[in-house]
Amino acid sequence: MRIKKIIKRAAISISVLLLIFKGFLMYRDYVSYHDVIHKNADHIVKVRVDGILQTIALNAVVNPSFYLKKETKKDSVTEEKDNGKGVSIPANIFLYTIKEYSKKTLFTSLKISDTLDFKNYIESKFHITAFEVKSRFTVGLNKDEKIQIAFNDKQCVVVYNPNKEDVNQVFVDLLNDGKTLDSSDPKWSAIKGANSHINYLTKNNTIDLDFESGQVVVNGNVVLPVFLDVPKTFKGTRFSKDASITLDLNVLSTLKYISLNHNNFTIDTDSLNAYYKGHLALEVAKSTMQIDSIISYEYNDDFEKVETLTAVEKEVPEINVQVTSDGSKLYKYLENKAIISNGRLNKEVFPLYQLKVDSTENGLFASTNLKADVTAEDLENVNVLALNIDFKKLQEQNYVPMLNTYLEKLLTLEVNGTRSLDETIAIDGLVQLKNKEINALAQFFINAKE
């Protein structure tokens, strides 16, 4: 009887502790929304810090050996207060743009637990040395003035500001006047209801990321921009069995009476729309060889500096592109615009590699493989978007050596976009990792060297 009583009391105690812990998490979630998102926030990214940590903690229970023998690259954020940093890590962190500012200007806000510690921390971490005391808050700038941090004794606003815009009004709105996103705004309910690990939200679009054991799951719904539409039928095309990256995109342009300019080349959207039939296929495959000219300088007998051209053979990725279109007419149009010259894409348009261009029965075809004839294979396709990456092949092809450390953990990426009944595009994606047991995010942010 005594053992039963002990077990019963232990069960009750554990239940009470779990309820207290759940209540604590609910409270952290509740306060994380207060006074941190500007009233005119446009594109919002919600990072569920507590949700990510809970998922990783559960994964650690099942796979303790992986976590016990590793050391995190950065300080843990599990404590609400990071000692010596003076800032509290909330249950949710929000990154966002604001309608009146550039889409490259990003804002976020955090609660401050110790002003002096926080000031010392941003001085050392972000190299902020210029501080200006304004009305009821202080603003700090780093050396290149691309990072601005405004703070008072309760809160900070951090801005990544590459265009060096004047964002002082945002600081006043958030730190002095409390002009934050209203609960009646449709984005408010969308933010509150976003329960994935990372959530991207706008007025009409959502993209969600969840980090699971051995994989990253992507879901979402997006509305096509007003200048794009989808064709009545969808196509798929493959060129090589060695492809590491394949892309099929089935969209039509609705732009009219507009000229597009690139490197002093101009094309008219009306002309493109007349020839283009709504499908673009792109593929990166095994390497191919090209002969290129390298410019060097030498001195002649009169000690004059003269330009010398040297032919060099180099290895480049085989890139194949097909634009489903009235190929011969599109070819002639681009040739008249000097975008195609002598069967090659003008190097001033795309200087990185040489691309031969041909008109075919399927449309316009371009390839970095200048010698072999590449044959296109038509595939059944029901998707507006179909993107596939084989990371093993991509690593073997070694086009981006600096990424190989990360690529070696990955197997495949697959992203599909399907037209829904409400005419939005439903996004469904999956990133597969080699290690199927360990949480995907933990594999990248925990030192996984064996």
Side-chain angles (χ1 to χ4, degrees):
M1 292 296 291
R2 180 176 292 181
I3 294 176
K4 289 183 178 180
K5 286 182 179 180
I6 293 172
I7 293 174
K8 185 176 180 180
R9 288 174 181 173
I12 292 172
S13 299
I14 292 171
S15 299
V16 170
L17 289 173
L18 289 174
L19 286 173
I20 293 173
F21 182 65
K22 183 178 180 180
F24 170 71
L25 293 177
M26 291 175 66
Y27 174 75
R28 276 176 52 81
D29 183 73
Y30 172 76
V31 299
S32 69
Y33 296 92
H34 289 183
D35 306 322
V36 293
I37 306 175
H38 192 270
K39 64 174 183 175
N40 294 330
D42 189 17
H43 296 248
I44 303 173
V45 175
K46 174 184 176 181
V47 181
R48 288 185 61 237
V49 177
D50 281 4
I52 292 172
L53 293 176
Q54 288 176 63
T55 300
I56 292 177
L58 290 173
N59 188 251
V61 171
V62 181
N63 304 280
S65 59
F66 177 87
Y67 293 87
L68 290 175
K69 65 181 179 181
K70 311 299 178 186
E71 292 182 359
T72 54
K73 293 181 180 179
K74 296 184 179 181
D75 294 336
S76 171
V77 295
T78 54
E79 296 181 5
E80 187 171 344
K81 177 181 177 180
D82 283 331
N83 292 330
K85 297 180 181 179
V87 63
S88 299
I89 303 300
N92 302 293
I93 293 177
F94 302 95
L95 307 171
Y96 55 88
T97 62
I98 296 178
K99 294 175 184 177
E100 295 83 358
Y101 297 92
S102 165
K103 300 301 182 188
K104 297 179 181 179
T105 304
L106 299 178
F107 300 82
T108 190
S109 186
L110 298 169
K111 301 297 182 183
I112 287 179
S113 54
D114 188 296
T115 307
L116 183 59
D117 281 348
F118 179 72
K119 185 173 182 292
N120 292 334
Y121 174 69
I122 62 175
E123 281 182 311
S124 61
K125 182 68 175 179
F126 299 101
H127 307 291
I128 292 176
T129 55
F131 289 93
E132 182 181 356
V133 179
K134 298 196 175 185
S135 175
R136 292 155 54 191
F137 61 86
T138 301
V139 178
L141 291 172
N142 72 338
K143 290 182 180 179
D144 63 8
E145 298 184 2
K146 291 183 179 180
I147 296 178
Q148 295 173 259
I149 302 177
F151 61 95
N152 55 24
D153 59 345
K154 294 181 180 179
Q155 185 175 346
C156 71
V157 179
V158 182
V159 186
Y160 174 66
N161 190 5
N163 295 337
K164 301 180 181 179
E165 297 177 283
D166 182 359
V167 295
N168 187 67
Q169 187 57 50
V170 177
F171 298 149
V172 173
D173 289 345
L174 287 172
L175 298 175
N176 288 357
D177 301 334
K179 293 182 179 179
T180 56
L181 192 68
D182 193 273
S183 59
S184 63
D185 191 302
K187 289 195 287 289
W188 179 265
S189 57
I191 293 168
K192 294 277 285 186
N195 290 318
S196 292
H197 289 148
I198 297 179
N199 310 266
Y200 167 74
L201 308 102
T202 68
K203 183 179 179 181
N204 299 314
N205 304 317
T206 61
I207 299 289
D208 306 326
L209 297 179
D210 282 297
F211 301 97
E212 300 179 358
S213 297
Q215 61 183 22
V216 182
V217 181
V218 183
N219 288 291
N221 275 281
V222 299
V223 176
L224 285 177
V226 292
F227 54 84
L228 292 179
D229 200 356
V230 295
K232 293 180 180 179
T233 58
F234 301 148
K235 289 191 63 177
T237 303
R238 291 295 174 271
F239 307 98
S240 171
K241 294 180 180 179
D242 299 310
S244 56
I245 302 174
T246 62
L247 170 69
D248 284 295
L249 184 62
N250 290 279
V251 292
L252 290 165
S253 168
T254 59
L255 287 175
K256 294 182 179 180
Y257 317 118
I258 293 177
S259 296
L260 303 176
N261 299 290
H262 175 67
N263 287 357
N264 297 320
F265 294 92
T266 302
I267 55 177
D268 301 312
T269 56
D270 288 9
S271 298
L272 288 181
N273 293 345
Y275 308 133
Y276 178 55
K277 296 182 180 179
H279 174 246
L280 170 70
L282 181 146
E283 175 186 278
V284 178
K286 62 184 184 301
S287 62
T288 185
M289 303 304 295
Q290 291 188 353
I291 296 177
D292 203 357
S293 297
I294 295 179
I295 299 174
S296 59
Y297 295 90
E298 297 178 354
Y299 289 95
N300 60 18
D301 295 338
D302 297 323
F303 298 100
E304 296 173 329
K305 193 175 183 180
V306 294
E307 184 180 285
T308 303
L309 291 178
T310 305
V312 176
E313 189 175 44
K314 64 178 183 179
E315 191 176 63
V316 303
E318 181 179 313
I319 302 173
N320 300 307
V321 182
Q322 179 172 280
V323 180
T324 303
S325 58
D326 188 330
S328 58
K329 291 183 178 180
L330 181 57
Y331 186 98
K332 289 179 181 178
Y333 173 76
L334 296 177
E335 193 173 40
N336 289 334
K337 291 288 186 177
I339 292 173
I340 296 175
S341 178
N342 298 320
R344 302 285 176 90
L345 185 67
N346 193 314
K347 288 208 73 172
E348 292 184 23
V349 177
F350 185 71
L352 193 58
Y353 306 120
Q354 300 174 56
L355 280 93
K356 70 173 183 179
V357 184
D358 297 303
S359 62
T360 68
E361 61 180 12
N362 292 319
L364 202 67
F365 176 75
S367 177
T368 57
N369 190 334
L370 307 179
K371 297 179 179 179
D373 291 327
V374 180
T375 303
E377 178 187 359
D378 291 333
L379 304 175
E380 290 186 9
N381 184 24
V382 295
N383 298 312
V384 175
L385 166 71
L387 171 65
N388 293 274
I389 301 178
D390 186 322
F391 291 106
K392 182 179 179 181
K393 289 182 179 179
L394 191 60
Q395 188 179 9
E396 290 171 352
Q397 291 163 359
N398 199 33
Y399 298 139
V400 192
M402 67 184 68
L403 295 180
N404 282 346
T405 302
Y406 297 97
L407 295 181
E408 67 183 10
K409 303 175 190 294
L410 301 169
L411 280 177
T412 59
L413 176 146
E414 181 179 355
V415 178
N416 294 311
T418 308
R419 190 175 190 180
S420 304
L421 295 176
D422 60 0
E423 297 192 351
T424 62
I425 306 300
I427 303 297
D428 179 19
L430 186 66
V431 181
Q432 296 273 16
L433 280 72
K434 293 178 182 177
N435 189 325
K436 301 296 183 183
E437 305 300 323
I438 306 302
N439 181 273
L441 191 62
Q443 291 190 46
F444 285 98
F445 285 91
I446 291 179
N447 184 10
K449 291 183 179 180
E450 297 296 338

